[in-house]
Amino acid sequence: DKAINYLKRSLKAKNNYKAWIGLGEIYFHKNNFDESYKSYLKAAVFKPDKYTIWHRLGETQFNLGKYNEAVNLFKMALKFNPESFNSWVLIAQSYSKLNKHSQEADALENAIKNLQDKKNIDAVILELSNLYLLYVISLIKNKDTNKMISALKESLQLLPKISEPSELFQGYVLVFKEILKSKKISLLKKSLQEITNTNNQNLIEFISPFFKLVAYHDTNDTEILDRLKPEERFLVEEMVKFVQPKKKKKSLKKAIS
């Protein structure tokens, strides 16, 4: 609060875009996004070509749930820093909130393009891999199978370049869960084959319930389930419910007759 009062006093003496940014940052970290937006908007009047101002304006609107407004502000930010990937990621997240999965996928594709030139740093490769997994999930939602498999391959090719690839394993679980939601067993098989092709035994073991699911789905062999540990069997049986067609309930009249 002392910092806020100090900045307000200094702004009365002289309008300074840096002071408006400082005020906006304080409000932002206090989760007062309305006031943060107002402060950054004042900063934009004095410095309309500064990327960070427009990006932060977009973040305030995103945090307020105003996703269309956020998209417009992030796009404005990109005019002053076309190579940014952060703005594209948040555009994608905004479209995801709006259930616009085609635009979400396009935004993630742009984020990946902007990050690909910086592949040599381990942290960047990890970030790029995460982006690919988000891209894969958005393509599943968008029912773009060919692009989805291609993006999955790209993400898997990055795994050997990451010092701790296990950090990404949970992301692959989310990918396969999204495939299950789509009820496309053929897509599940294709995706699992891509995992098998990597010969990454740690990843294969981590997502083994999905392999067991496919084996059971194809054979209806209950011994597959019997050989599983109780917690793994429960997981596989729950997943089976997603891919098996629901049995139609008999009507009451037919049941009585």
Side-chain angles (χ1 to χ4, degrees), residues 81-145:
N81 185 8
E83 295 180 358
S84 168
F85 75 92
N86 286 321
S87 293
W88 279 117
V89 170
L90 285 166
I91 287 172
Q93 290 179 6
S94 299
Y95 280 133
S96 178
K97 295 285 187 182
L98 294 165
N99 289 318
K100 294 182 177 180
H101 301 303
S102 176
Q103 292 95 321
E104 177 192 1
D106 290 342
L108 285 169
E109 191 171 357
N110 283 317
I112 289 167
K113 286 176 183 175
N114 281 359
L115 201 57
Q116 277 178 329
D117 294 335
K118 306 168 187 175
K119 280 186 183 178
N120 295 327
I121 306 169
D122 194 61
V124 173
I125 297 172
L126 184 62
E127 183 68 37
L128 185 58
S129 301
N130 278 315
L131 280 179
Y132 266 116
L133 291 175
L134 287 172
Y135 184 42
V136 168
I137 290 171
S138 70
L139 290 169
I140 296 167
K141 292 177 181 176
N142 201 36
K143 301 177 181 179
D144 195 335
T145 303

Side-chain angles (χ1 to χ4, degrees), residues 47-104:
K47 201 74 173 174
D49 59 348
K50 193 168 180 64
Y51 162 80
T52 52
I53 292 175
W54 293 104
H55 182 83
R56 196 56 123 185
L57 281 166
E59 288 181 309
T60 62
Q61 297 305 282
F62 182 88
N63 285 315
L64 288 168
K66 298 178 180 179
Y67 302 116
N68 283 313
E69 292 87 342
V71 166
N72 292 332
L73 289 163
F74 289 131
K75 286 182 177 179
M76 179 65 77
L78 285 163
K79 289 183 180 180
F80 305 110
N81 185 8
E83 295 180 358
S84 168
F85 75 92
N86 286 321
S87 293
W88 279 117
V89 170
L90 285 166
I91 287 172
Q93 290 179 6
S94 299
Y95 280 133
S96 178
K97 295 285 187 182
L98 294 165
N99 289 318
K100 294 182 177 180
H101 301 303
S102 176
Q103 292 95 321
E104 177 192 1

Side-chain angles (χ1 to χ4, degrees), residues 31-42:
N31 295 329
N32 189 340
F33 301 116
D34 278 318
E35 290 301 321
S36 179
Y37 175 78
K38 292 174 186 176
S39 298
Y40 268 101
L41 205 57
K42 291 282 181 67

